[in-house]
Amino acid sequence: MKTYTLTIFEKNGEKLLDHSFEALSDEEAKSRGSQLLQEHGSEEKTHRCTSPEGKLLLFHI
């Protein structure tokens, strides 16, 4: 398992969520990240989901 990080921001740069979670693959992490965004009602907020290697899996401005 790898540890991924989902971060959600306000437009002014304030960090709303900085959540780490584990997934078996990048695809599973993208799915889990999208699910977390929906749970927090933050699909349209600025966000990013990154892999342990720094790969950007989800990104929205």
Side-chain angles (χ1 to χ4, degrees):
M1 287 255 209
K2 295 180 185 179
T3 302
Y4 295 82
T5 303
L6 176 67
T7 309
I8 303 171
F9 302 93
E10 282 289 358
K11 293 290 182 189
N12 67 5
E14 176 188 354
K15 201 181 288 187
L16 299 175
L17 179 74
D18 198 13
H19 180 74
S20 295
F21 61 94
E22 292 188 340
L24 293 172
S25 67
D26 289 354
E27 287 302 314
E28 182 181 328
K30 281 177 72 171
S31 177
R32 179 70 180 129
S34 293
Q35 179 184 3
L36 287 166
L37 286 166
Q38 289 177 352
E39 288 173 10
H40 287 89
S42 298
E43 299 98 318
E44 296 303 317
K45 296 226 181 254
T46 301
H47 63 265
R48 68 178 177 221
C49 183
T50 56
S51 72
E53 296 84 19
K55 184 177 178 184
L56 204 53
L57 304 176
L58 294 172
F59 183 74
H60 178 73
I61 296 178

